Amino acid sequence: MFDPVQLMIFLVAATALAVTPGPGMLYVAARSISGGRAEGLASSFGTALGGFVHVIGGAIGVTAILMASANIFTALKLVGAVYLVWLGIRTWRQAGFDLSNIEVKPAGCRRAFVEGIFVEMFNPKTAAFFLAFVTQFVDPARGNVALQFIILGAISVTLNTTPDIVIAVFAGKIRRGLLSRPQWMKRAQRASGALMCGLGVALAFARRPA
């Protein structure tokens, strides 16, 4: 179903983006420190489920667009590539933030789980990112577009959730390490921004008719 080279590029890019430190990771760490490991894990699983909602919605939307017009689908991929470049530039420029102010109050595992679902599910930036990123690796010539999107989206959600789980388990040490290395945080975020820019440019110039 997937071209091996394209799948490898997707896995490398998705992994690099997933492990880049950001506010979400620090939120999970703060949740874990304030409410315990179980609350941090519940929050992580909640955001993962919220992410899957975007995956299903994106699969339905992309399939509908392709059925309406192959040209519109190709245009969507081009717009998505441009969006990745813009997101990369913004990530580079905004690299580095005050981590010491990221604090949350204990809420209990159930509330942390539900809160995680809704925070992620109603985040328009997450929806836009999935459409921009995952759609780049969907190839109508290789079969079911919706299934391709769901598989790639599920991989992306899993990769994004794995670091959150690790952080929930080792929250104290990881948070202290990140707080003590702000320059490393900034460099990692800038590397992520550069990766998104490079990926967007490469995909934009590699466009071919769908």
Side-chain angles (χ1 to χ4, degrees):
M1 180 177 289
F2 299 106
D3 176 75
V5 176
Q6 285 292 96
L7 182 59
M8 183 59 64
I9 294 173
F10 171 82
L11 291 174
V12 171
T15 301
L17 295 174
V19 300
T20 301
M25 285 189 180
L26 270 297
Y27 170 76
V28 172
R31 173 68 73 191
S32 303
I33 291 170
S34 65
R37 181 179 299 175
E39 193 169 306
L41 289 172
S43 180
S44 299
F45 293 140
T47 56
L49 185 56
F52 275 114
V53 172
H54 287 294
V55 171
I56 300 301
I60 295 172
V62 166
T63 301
I65 290 172
L66 180 59
M67 290 178 64
S69 170
N71 290 332
I72 295 177
F73 178 76
T74 302
L76 173 65
K77 298 184 79 168
L78 180 58
V79 170
V82 174
Y83 176 76
L84 287 175
V85 173
W86 175 82
L87 193 60
I89 293 172
R90 193 184 67 169
T91 300
W92 177 281
R93 295 180 62 183
Q94 295 180 350
F97 41 79
D98 186 4
L99 307 179
S100 61
N101 293 328
I102 301 179
E103 301 290 347
V104 296
K105 296 180 180 180
C109 292
R110 182 175 179 179
R111 181 176 173 183
F113 176 72
V114 174
E115 186 178 277
I117 293 174
F118 283 99
V119 165
E120 192 73 3
M121 190 167 62
F122 292 107
N123 185 353
K125 294 180 181 178
T126 303
F129 178 78
F130 270 113
L131 282 174
F133 181 63
V134 177
T135 305
Q136 302 300 324
F137 300 92
V138 171
D139 185 358
R142 290 183 172 271
N144 193 314
V145 169
L147 182 58
Q148 289 184 57
F149 194 100
I150 290 172
I151 292 173
L152 293 174
I155 292 173
S156 183
V157 170
T158 302
L159 290 173
N160 290 339
T161 304
T162 300
D164 289 345
I165 293 174
V166 174
I167 286 172
V169 175
F170 303 101
K173 292 182 180 180
I174 291 176
R175 190 167 191 252
R176 285 194 296 272
L178 293 176
L179 285 168
S180 65
R181 297 176 177 84
Q183 290 302 314
W184 183 86
M185 285 275 296
K186 181 177 289 188
R187 284 194 290 268
Q189 288 173 300
R190 285 183 172 175
S192 175
L195 172 65
M196 280 188 279
C197 286
L199 183 65
V201 170
L203 292 170
F205 282 99
R207 288 293 123 234
R208 60 181 182 276

